[in-house]
Amino acid sequence: ERERRVPVPRCELAGTGMALDFIALLPDEEIPETPAACEAASSSDTGEQPAPDAWSITRAHFGADSLELALHEELLDFAEAFRPTRAESAMREAAVERVVSLLASLPSFASASVRPFGSYATGLCLPSSDVDLAVFGTGFESKVQQVAGLRQIEKALHRAGWRAEEVEVIGSAKVPIVKYVDGPSGLSVDLCLEQQDGIRSSALATKAARQFPPFRPLVLLLKRYLSSRGLNDTFTGGVGSFLLQLLVISSLQQPPLHPPALSPAACSRENLGRHLLHFFELYGLRLNTTSAGVRVADGGRYFDKRQRGWLNGERPWLLCVENPIDS
């Protein structure tokens, strides 16, 4: 009974005159500040593993009579609990160093450089996340050359002084990669050659994290949510990390309306619970995926899929998101 549904301005679908309604669950009263003393200490400062009940529903939250504030507190706990510890960061760095040393021993890669991208580079990784690496300066520009170069790396991995398991070259993919499991750490590693898209997508995520403070905790929670339900595999129609990041950016570009009763100071604070509910409501209930596509470039907007020729006649309900790197 403490919650009320407040309509927010209609967002026009670009170029069509169509409009979409956005409705958020908002509290009746101003949310109090959380005392600094209540903030959890970072596990990365101590190197310790997070406690199993780090975001337990039994933990008392300051002002937890508000659903949104309780969600806000738990999202902060979750993001902090899954922040890499010093030991985990060192383990990933060591895995990268092993690859760098391995490539330096190969004549074709003697002058190459290795750059991490993806969740490892942006700080959006979970403990189970892969390590994505791109190798530059090889001179392998064509796909055929890149597959041949990856075969050289595959052979070197089998001969490496450290254990590399499940080594596999996927040459038929749009972006050829070599996959393996780093034996000493148990981390999965994906390595590609001369691919700039991964670097650009990482730069986009880093920019979004600076521009939108809720971006990181929302992405981490939603990645875990999708992974736990087997919905993160793009090969089977799931939502991969990059697509998820674009969806989160778009939802933050179209935020829920704050109640008029709240002061400007209260409206400026970022409530993660409110943004999480808004995300699920936007993509679960409000967005008409049959007609509307999502664009995050230039401040974000929606577009008509039919006008762009992006409407799939057999499956018109498919989610359509423009890749800002290609636009």
Side-chain angles (χ1 to χ4, degrees), residues 15 25 37 49 53 71 85 117 130 148 191 194 213 252 266 271 291 313 320:
L25 294 171
Q49 293 292 336
D53 60 349
L71 280 173
T85 64
F117 65 95
D130 296 346
L191 189 148
E194 307 295 343
L252 293 172
N271 186 294
S291 61
C320 179

Side-chain angles (χ1 to χ4, degrees), residues 187-254:
L187 294 169
S188 295
V189 180
D190 293 352
L191 189 148
C192 62
L193 305 180
E194 307 295 343
Q195 297 293 329
Q196 289 286 350
D197 283 357
I199 305 299
R200 296 191 186 103
S201 64
S202 296
L204 176 67
T206 301
K207 179 180 178 181
R210 288 198 303 265
Q211 183 176 351
F212 302 110
F215 177 77
R216 180 182 178 272
L218 287 176
V219 169
L220 288 176
L221 185 281
L222 291 167
K223 283 181 68 172
R224 180 65 176 175
Y225 175 86
L226 292 169
S227 176
S228 66
R229 287 157 177 78
L231 299 174
N232 62 329
D233 188 350
T234 56
F235 183 75
T236 58
V239 178
S241 294
F242 184 52
L243 174 57
L244 175 62
Q245 290 167 18
L246 296 181
L247 294 177
V248 171
I249 291 172
S250 182
S251 73
L252 293 172
Q253 290 172 330
Q254 304 286 346

